[in-house]
Amino acid sequence: MLVNRRVWKAKPGRAGELLGLIKVMFNHEAWPDTVRMYRNHIAPFDHVAVEVACESLAFWEEKWNQWTAAAFAVMESATWPTLVEAGGTNEFWSIADERISETTASSTNTGNKLVNRRVWIAKPGNAGKVTDFISSWFDEYAWPGAIRVYRNHLAPFDHVALEVECASLAAYEEHWGRWTASHAEGVKLIESGGTNEIWTVEKVWAAE
C-alpha cells in the first residue's frame, strides 16, 4: 500500500480557508481509500498536508485524474491560487507497518488529535533495517494511538518516516519518554538530520 503525501504552504492567515476548501472537495467527491488532512501544530507555519492512500501508482493515476476532474468542479478555477504560496512537496511513501488501536479503529472523529511525524535518514542500504527496528519497538511497547511506519517510494532516498497519533502533547510526552527509554541502538542505523514535527489531525475520510 502507498500513501501520496502533499504539503502546501497557505498564504499568511489563510490556512483555515485552504483546509475548508479541501474538505469541500473530498466531501463532494469521495476518494476510494483513506484520506487524512493535517494542519501545522509544531511544524512550519501556515502549512497544510493531505495523505491519500492507494494500492499502486497505476491505481492512483487512474483514480486521481477522475477525482480531480470532479472535485475541482465544485470551486472557481481561480480560487486555489489565491490561497496557496509557491512550493510545497508531493511524495509517495510505502507503508511498512500500520497498527490501529481499538479506540481509533473505524473512528473519523478527530477532535483535537495530534500526530507526531518523524523522518529519519537511514545509512545507505539500511532503510529496511530501520523500518524493522522501529516496528520492533511497537512489539515491545503498545502505543495508545494509531502508528504508521513508511519507507520512501517516490521520496528522498533512504528516508524512513514514523507517524504516531496522540490525544495531546502531555500524552505524547508521557508515552514517548517511556517508549524510547531502551532503544538507543537505533542510532547506529541512521545519519544525522531528518525532521520532527507535530500536526493537528483536521479530518479523516475512512476507506469504505
Side-chain angles (χ1 to χ4, degrees):
M1 180 67 74
L2 302 176
V3 166
N4 177 216
R5 179 178 171 86
R6 294 174 175 233
V7 181
W8 296 278
K9 182 181 180 182
K11 291 185 181 294
R14 307 200 70 177
E17 292 177 70
L18 180 58
L19 287 164
L21 180 59
I22 295 171
K23 286 179 182 178
V24 168
M25 295 166 69
F26 278 102
N27 286 335
H28 173 77
E29 184 66 19
W31 180 258
D33 214 314
T34 301
V35 177
R36 296 181 178 87
M37 183 171 66
Y38 305 106
R39 183 174 186 170
N40 65 284
H41 192 79
I42 302 176
F45 290 117
D46 299 311
H47 279 61
V48 170
V50 171
E51 294 177 347
V52 178
C54 56
E55 62 186 40
S56 67
L57 291 175
F59 177 88
W60 178 87
E61 183 176 42
E62 175 190 355
K63 297 300 182 182
W64 187 256
N65 289 336
Q66 296 174 5
W67 182 86
T68 52
F72 276 87
V74 304
M75 71 171 187
E76 296 290 337
S77 60
T79 303
W80 188 268
T82 67
L83 298 178
V84 298
E85 301 277 11
T89 57
N90 182 13
E91 302 170 338
F92 279 87
W93 294 78
S94 298
I95 301 177
D97 192 3
E98 182 172 23
R99 308 183 192 193
I100 302 175
S101 66
E102 293 182 1
T103 57
T104 58
S106 75
S107 174
T108 58
N109 181 21
T110 61
N112 294 318
K113 188 186 299 179
L114 303 176
V115 62
N116 175 220
R117 180 178 173 87
R118 294 175 176 238
V119 179
W120 292 280
I121 307 168
K123 291 184 182 295
N126 281 277
K129 293 180 181 179
V130 174
T131 58
D132 290 344
F133 186 78
I134 294 170
S135 291
S136 73
W137 292 349
F138 292 102
D139 293 334
E140 300 172 18
Y141 184 86
W143 187 264
I147 70 103
R148 292 173 291 276
V149 182
Y150 302 100
R151 184 173 176 177
N152 66 286
H153 192 79
L154 295 177
F157 289 118
D158 299 310
H159 279 56
V160 172
L162 168 66
E163 292 180 349
V164 294
E165 294 182 0
C166 52
S168 65
L169 289 176
Y172 164 79
E173 186 174 41
E174 174 190 354
H175 290 284
W176 188 261
R178 294 179 185 175
W179 185 69
T180 57
S182 60
H183 297 101
E185 289 296 311
V187 299
K188 297 178 181 179
L189 301 173
I190 59 175
E191 304 279 9
S192 61
T195 57
N196 183 15
E197 302 170 341
I198 292 182
W199 296 74
T200 300
V201 183
E202 289 284 338
K203 177 73 175 177
V204 176
W205 289 268
E208 296 181 355

